[in-house]
Amino acid sequence: MARTSDKPDAELVGEAAEALVSKLTLREKASLCSGASFWNLQSIKRLGLTGPNVSDGPHGVRRDLGSSHLGLDGSAPATCFPCACTLASSWDPTLAMLVGEALGRECLALGVSVLLGPGVNIKRHPLCGRNFEYFSEDPLLAGEFAASFVKGVQSQGVGTSIKHFAANNQEANRMTIDTQVDERTLREIYLPAFEAAVTRSQPWTVMCAYNRLNGQQCSEHDWLNNTLLRGEWGFEGLLLTDWGAIANRVKGLLAGIDLEMPSSAGVNDARIAAAVRSGALEEGVLDRAAARVVSLYLKSDAAKAAHASKEEGKEMHARHHALARRAAAESAVLLKNDGQLLPLGAGSGRVALIGGVATAPRDQGPG
């Protein structure tokens, strides 16, 4: 977007988005509040709005090319970076920023507008199924890495999605669990990493969690999303659900959830429009949500235009592979070295690799 005034870029984008939303019908505005497919947002062709692509992969862009939606039957080649749990062991936020910059460049090359990460929940228990993609059990360290990672990715004109907001610290029964945490504990342990990322790096999006928090679904939590995130921390971007995390779409909209992912096949769009017609939902609430979604489109379009003349390919992946090796090496922590066993020399003999992943390696983690 060309600069034509002294206003900040974010304000110019916001004004342009509001102008476009004013031209939309009620049905079109409601449609913007849910995805078009598993990884794409809705398009409004008559106004030239093309729904951007979002992608999993805070540790490697997973541009899905198959029908599984999870890259199990085909995804575009991308660099595999060390997971967050490894990267944080480097104690080097600058390294996280460099990895973020590289991931941003790969997103642009693959046509991805928003990278769905980083995950900044606290490692509360060693059995949490997503500990691999969370930075740390320490809120300060997690916040430093989150802020640096977001700055790195977004310096390339690609958005991030801080997740999973909030207190999403286990995978078992994640859709139904009610996390009970008093406010002091929330603010001292479970929220600081989110706060650091939002206040210092302004991620384009924040992703709400599946769980309840103190009896309220995170997707319907007015205090969490409106009072704290937008009001106290000054979050300016778009708030979207984790995939399938919405419970009641109209309540979610009132609680600040702008975008439901993935598509509801029009079911929740109709519910939003009906709520506006009946007076149960003020149209201004819908307008604000639609404007935040359109703002994401405009920022994405500007990044694509800036990238159009750049050529990336094998040379980019070679550079990024070298960075991934460096990050892995700098994140390795040797706790013990009895008898000076390490490093292994050329004549050390045979080494046994034991377990299922020895024959079928699992790069990163699932989900």
Side-chain angles (χ1 to χ4, degrees):
M1 178 177 293
R3 266 188 94 79
T4 57
S5 78
D6 293 328
K7 293 181 180 179
D9 288 339
E11 190 174 342
L12 288 171
V13 169
E15 290 178 355
E18 289 172 2
L20 285 167
V21 168
S22 70
K23 300 176 182 178
L24 298 175
T25 66
L26 174 60
R27 181 178 180 181
E28 287 171 333
K29 287 187 286 190
S31 75
L32 289 176
C33 293
S34 68
S37 62
F38 211 80
W39 300 115
N40 286 87
L41 277 60
Q42 295 281 358
S43 296
I44 308 292
K45 292 183 179 179
R46 71 179 184 86
L47 293 182
L49 292 174
T50 301
N53 176 272
V54 300
S55 175
D56 265 346
H59 318 118
V61 188
R62 194 181 72 203
R63 185 65 157 96
D64 189 71
L65 299 177
S67 59
S68 72
H69 307 306
L70 298 173
L72 300 178
D73 56 351
S75 58
T79 305
C80 179
F81 287 95
C83 296
C85 63
T86 301
L87 191 59
S89 297
S90 71
W91 293 83
D92 185 358
T94 301
L95 183 61
M97 186 178 297
L98 292 174
V99 169
E101 290 172 357
L103 284 163
R105 287 191 291 272
E106 294 203 10
C107 283
L108 287 174
L110 293 171
V112 172
S113 298
V114 177
L115 187 70
L116 299 174
V120 299
N121 292 106
I122 293 297
K123 300 175 191 288
R124 185 176 181 273
H125 192 282
L127 295 182
C128 174
R130 301 188 94 160
N131 277 345
F132 72 94
E133 69 173 359
Y134 297 147
F135 287 117
S136 178
E137 67 277 20
D138 179 83
L140 175 61
L141 183 63
E144 291 293 323
F145 270 78
S148 294
F149 183 94
V150 169
K151 284 181 180 177
V153 175
Q154 295 189 172
S155 71
Q156 306 302 304
V158 173
T160 54
S161 193
I162 291 286
K163 60 186 186 182
H164 307 86
F165 193 59
N168 181 188
N169 305 101
Q170 71 177 60
E171 285 296 277
N173 303 311
R174 67 181 182 176
M175 306 294 287
T176 56
I177 189 171
D178 185 3
T179 306
Q180 298 285 323
V181 197
D182 64 87
E183 186 173 345
R184 176 176 176 177
T185 306
L186 274 172
R187 289 184 178 273
E188 291 183 357
I189 298 176
Y190 297 103
L191 294 177
F194 290 98
E195 182 178 8
V198 169
T199 58
R200 289 161 53 184
S201 303
Q202 276 294 341
W204 286 13
T205 77
V206 169
M207 184 188 296
C208 86
Y210 288 118
N211 53 282
R212 289 180 172 86
L213 177 61
N214 296 327
Q216 190 74 43
Q217 291 284 162
C218 288
S219 62
E220 299 173 8
H221 210 298
D222 182 70
W223 177 83
L224 188 67
N225 301 328
N226 288 329
T227 303
L228 183 72
L229 179 64
R230 295 196 189 279
E232 186 175 322
W233 295 350
F235 177 59
E236 299 172 354
L238 178 145
L239 186 54
L240 74 156
T241 66
D242 202 343
W243 270 229
I246 203 72
N248 181 303
R249 188 64 190 97
V250 175
K251 287 183 179 179
L253 205 58
L254 288 166
I257 300 296
D258 304 305
L259 176 64
E260 172 194 10
M261 288 299 288
S263 170
S264 66
V267 173
N268 281 334
D269 304 348
R271 288 171 176 162
I272 291 171
V276 171
R277 293 190 192 99
S278 71
L281 178 69
E282 292 184 10
E283 191 162 2
V285 174
L286 174 58
D287 288 347
R288 285 193 295 273
R292 290 176 187 135
V293 175
V294 173
S295 291
L296 181 69
Y297 289 33
L298 298 179
K299 288 189 283 190
S300 170
D301 288 346
K304 289 176 182 176
H307 181 70
S309 62
K310 297 180 182 178
E311 292 185 3
E312 302 279 17
K314 291 183 179 179
E315 290 185 3
M316 176 187 71
H317 284 127
R319 292 194 308 272
H320 292 175
H321 183 65
L323 175 60
R325 287 179 61 90
R326 172 189 160 190
E330 293 186 17
S331 301
V333 178
L334 180 61
L335 299 178
K336 194 175 180 181
N337 195 18
D338 287 347
Q340 299 301 302
L341 177 64
L342 300 174
L344 296 175
S348 299
R350 301 172 68 186
V351 176
L353 301 178
I354 299 171
V357 293
T359 53
R362 180 62 173 172
D363 298 328
Q364 308 176 329

